[in-house]
Amino acid sequence: MSAPPHAAADAATPGAGGEPAGPRHVAIIMDGNGRWAKKRRLPRVAGHRKGVEAARNVVRAAGDLGIEVLTLYAFSSENWRRPAEEVADLMGLLRHFILADIEELAQAGVRLRVIGEYRALSPDLVRLIDGALARTADNRGTTLVVALNYGAQNELVEATRRLAERCARGELDPAAIGPAHIESELATHGLPPVDLLIRTSGEHRLSNFLLWQCAYAELLFVDALWPDFDGDRLAQALDDFARRERRFGGL
């Protein structure tokens, strides 16, 4: 029997003293901004602003904790269903984050990567994102992946369509298609699979996020609302990960 997809790349490597190494790739569904604001009788945008601060702190902590890749679910393809005013607030916060933080990220060696249909955003925002990507392209520290206008089902549909087009052109035998072919067409190609997926706010669902990449991920659902999540809570999540035994379908 062949090894399961991701098993070779995803298996924990023993660290010093024989303990499992920490996760290479951590993904976070940042949930709870609105509830954080509601508890304080504040407008939802106040929760989103506080959520940006939490993201900033977690990105800094990820580098200190040795995380190779950190993926943040910033805006899903379903979030367009929210009120137009809230969507505008979120886009404004994204602009501010890029303008205010890109130099710090660049100086810290962070490499920015964006997944999702971000080119559907406003032209000025697309230009800012492209500039931030170019500014950090040569960095070799933590890779910060931001999911913008992203949905995993659409990602898989697009990957399947591209493979079908290759088959139609005679470039690929349909019978030869395997997991590596699909992975090569995903937005996350070249990145390690997700080792640890964290969702804040006590919700227990994936919400159309990295469905393929999380096939063998450890899932951690925490009660803290996203604006209250910080570097200490991220470190606690890594401690929880270290106590788990990952078997990838084996014994």
Side-chain angles (χ1 to χ4, degrees):
M1 180 181 294
S2 60
H6 305 318
D10 200 22
T13 302
E19 72 278 6
R24 295 178 64 195
H25 189 169
V26 175
I28 305 179
I29 300 174
M30 305 180 293
D31 194 15
N33 291 346
R35 275 166 283 177
W36 184 93
K38 185 177 181 179
K39 285 175 62 176
R40 292 160 177 79
R41 298 183 179 180
L42 297 171
R44 287 179 63 85
V45 68
H48 294 313
R49 290 193 187 106
K50 193 69 174 177
V52 170
E53 291 181 24
R56 184 178 292 122
N57 292 332
V58 166
V59 171
R60 290 169 179 159
D64 294 337
L65 293 167
I67 294 171
E68 182 179 333
V69 180
L70 175 68
T71 298
L72 302 179
Y73 204 5
F75 191 85
S76 77
S77 53
E78 289 80 18
N79 286 155
W80 294 109
R81 301 171 187 168
R82 295 188 177 190
E85 182 179 1
E86 182 172 351
V87 171
D89 287 338
L90 288 167
M91 294 301 143
L93 288 170
L94 177 59
R95 286 186 186 90
H96 178 74
F97 178 81
I98 295 172
L99 291 169
D101 288 65
I102 192 60
E103 277 306 312
E104 178 182 342
L105 293 175
Q107 292 299 321
V110 173
R111 180 169 67 104
L112 180 65
R113 183 161 169 176
V114 176
I115 61 174
E117 301 298 324
Y118 80 90
R119 294 195 177 278
L121 306 181
S122 64
D124 68 306
L125 191 47
V126 172
R127 286 193 294 271
L128 282 175
I129 293 170
D130 284 342
L133 293 171
R135 177 70 180 85
T136 64
D138 295 329
N139 287 349
R140 293 293 179 265
T142 297
T143 295
L144 171 62
V145 183
V146 180
L148 286 173
N149 196 21
Y150 171 86
Q153 289 180 334
N154 184 64
E155 178 187 30
L156 290 167
V157 167
E158 291 299 319
T160 303
R161 181 177 291 120
R162 286 190 290 271
L163 289 173
E165 290 170 351
R166 290 177 60 190
C167 291
R169 293 193 298 267
E171 299 171 0
L172 181 63
D173 178 0
I177 293 175
H181 292 92
I182 296 174
E183 290 177 357
S184 71
E185 298 291 347
L186 297 179
T188 53
H189 63 89
L191 297 176
V194 177
D195 296 304
L196 173 64
L197 173 73
I198 303 168
R199 181 169 187 149
T200 59
S201 85
E203 301 293 344
H204 295 76
R205 56 182 177 270
L206 296 181
S207 295
N208 198 20
F209 184 49
L210 299 178
L211 299 179
W212 177 279
Q213 297 87 340
C214 286
Y216 286 89
E218 295 295 316
L219 308 181
L220 179 63
F221 301 103
V222 298
D223 290 332
L225 300 175
W226 175 247
D228 294 325
F229 199 86
D230 55 17
D232 288 341
R233 283 190 165 96
L234 179 60
Q236 291 169 13
L238 299 195
D239 287 342
D240 182 284
F241 176 87
R243 291 192 293 270
R244 300 190 184 190
E245 184 178 357
R246 308 179 74 197
R247 298 178 180 176
F248 305 100
L251 298 179

